[in-house]
Amino acid sequence: MTLQDRDPKAHVPMPTDLNLRISPRTVQRETVDKLRLAIFSGMFQPGSRLIESQLCAQLGISRPSLREALRSLEAERLIEIVPNRGPSIPALSWEVATAIYEVRELLEVEAAGRCALRISPGQLRELEKSLSAFEEAASSNDSLAQVTTAADFYSIILANCGNPILEEVHRGLVARISFFRGRSMSLEGRAQSSLAEMREIFECIAAGDEKAARKASKQHVLKAKAAAKRSMDSEV
């Protein structure tokens, strides 16, 4: 019998009890998410040290799990780990903030313009839903929900800009953008102002007006930058 004469199915093992289920949220992932949100909400102030034993007790996890989560947050630049000192929240300077807002302007203005020309009706409805979620968060004064729902709004715009590299670069800044967004949203009235600006972006995108979408996005980033500056100045 030649190789060609063999039944191709004869020697294929057929596993009957292989479990391919993957846990949707591991301990490490959930730990990263909770600590990230705690940083965004201001629970840990810039410049403060993170005490591992306290965090383990608060989160109910082991030290190895915590340290793995902290390494992920370090990669996002939300914490810094100094030898012989441990993890801490970096005291980000206004110079760093300015650089981040400049890059954010470049990316988000381009994304909004491109999105206005490309977004599908289905994705436009998702964008409108995310705007409604932010509106609800702004009305309830839930600062943490404001940060997360605003991030969702922009993620849809980036996902529909037609340039995956632009989206990838922006994703690398999302954590730090959200950090400063939390600071600016802490100002009285800023959430409602931001809602009006985001609604303008949405309406321009819905109208398919590339030029207007770019203009609205730029104005929003510049106003967010000014609000972040006022918030950081008040903390000094």
Side-chain angles (χ1 to χ4, degrees):
M1 179 183 295
T2 66
L3 184 62
Q4 288 80 3
D5 294 329
R6 295 178 182 174
D7 183 349
K9 298 180 180 179
H11 301 284
V12 177
M14 301 295 291
T16 59
D17 59 354
L18 181 61
N19 185 357
L20 294 178
R21 183 180 295 275
I22 298 174
S23 175
R25 296 184 67 82
T26 64
V27 170
Q28 190 265 344
R29 186 72 263 160
E30 189 172 357
T31 302
V32 170
D33 289 344
K34 287 189 175 183
L35 288 175
R36 186 191 294 114
L37 292 176
I39 293 170
F40 292 165
S41 67
M43 181 181 293
F44 305 121
Q45 293 299 311
S48 63
R49 292 183 60 189
L50 301 178
I51 309 301
E52 290 188 6
S53 58
Q54 293 179 1
L55 290 176
C56 287
Q58 288 174 312
L59 293 164
I61 61 173
S62 67
R63 184 158 292 191
S65 294
L66 174 65
R67 287 181 173 173
E68 186 177 355
L70 291 175
R71 283 194 291 271
S72 295
L73 293 171
E74 184 183 30
E76 295 180 13
R77 307 288 183 86
L78 286 178
I79 70 167
E80 55 185 8
I81 301 176
V82 180
N84 302 319
R85 187 174 183 272
S88 62
I89 307 299
L92 296 175
S93 66
W94 179 242
E95 287 73 21
V96 172
T98 298
I100 290 173
Y101 275 103
E102 287 175 351
V103 176
R104 181 184 169 188
E105 180 184 340
L106 290 171
L107 299 176
E108 291 184 8
V109 170
E110 178 68 15
R114 294 170 64 91
C115 181
L117 299 176
R118 292 169 172 79
I119 194 167
S120 67
Q123 284 295 295
L124 187 63
R125 287 192 292 271
E126 292 300 313
L127 186 62
E128 187 172 22
K129 287 180 184 178
S130 69
L131 182 62
S132 296
F134 178 79
E135 182 176 13
E136 182 177 345
S139 299
S140 65
N141 292 320
D142 186 337
S143 59
L144 188 54
Q146 290 167 12
V147 171
T148 56
T149 54
D152 291 341
F153 178 81
Y154 293 108
S155 70
I156 295 173
I157 292 176
L158 269 293
N160 288 277
C161 75
N163 187 325
I165 302 303
L166 192 156
E167 181 187 5
E168 179 183 333
V169 173
H170 186 274
R171 192 183 303 121
L173 287 172
V174 164
R176 282 174 286 175
I177 288 173
S178 294
F179 177 85
F180 288 112
R181 181 176 286 133
R183 292 294 180 271
S184 64
M185 291 290 185
S186 68
L187 294 177
E188 184 176 356
R190 176 55 199 160
Q192 291 299 328
S193 297
S194 188
L195 173 62
E197 295 156 19
M198 291 163 63
R199 183 176 289 119
E200 177 69 16
I201 295 171
F202 169 78
E203 290 174 354
C204 293
I205 290 175
D209 192 332
E210 176 188 8
K211 183 177 180 180
R214 290 176 182 272
K215 181 179 179 181
S217 181
K218 181 172 183 175
Q219 287 300 310
H220 175 57
V221 174
L222 292 177
K223 289 179 180 179
K225 178 182 177 181
K229 181 67 165 64
R230 292 197 302 273
S231 176
M232 291 181 72
D233 286 346
S234 68
E235 295 173 356
V236 176

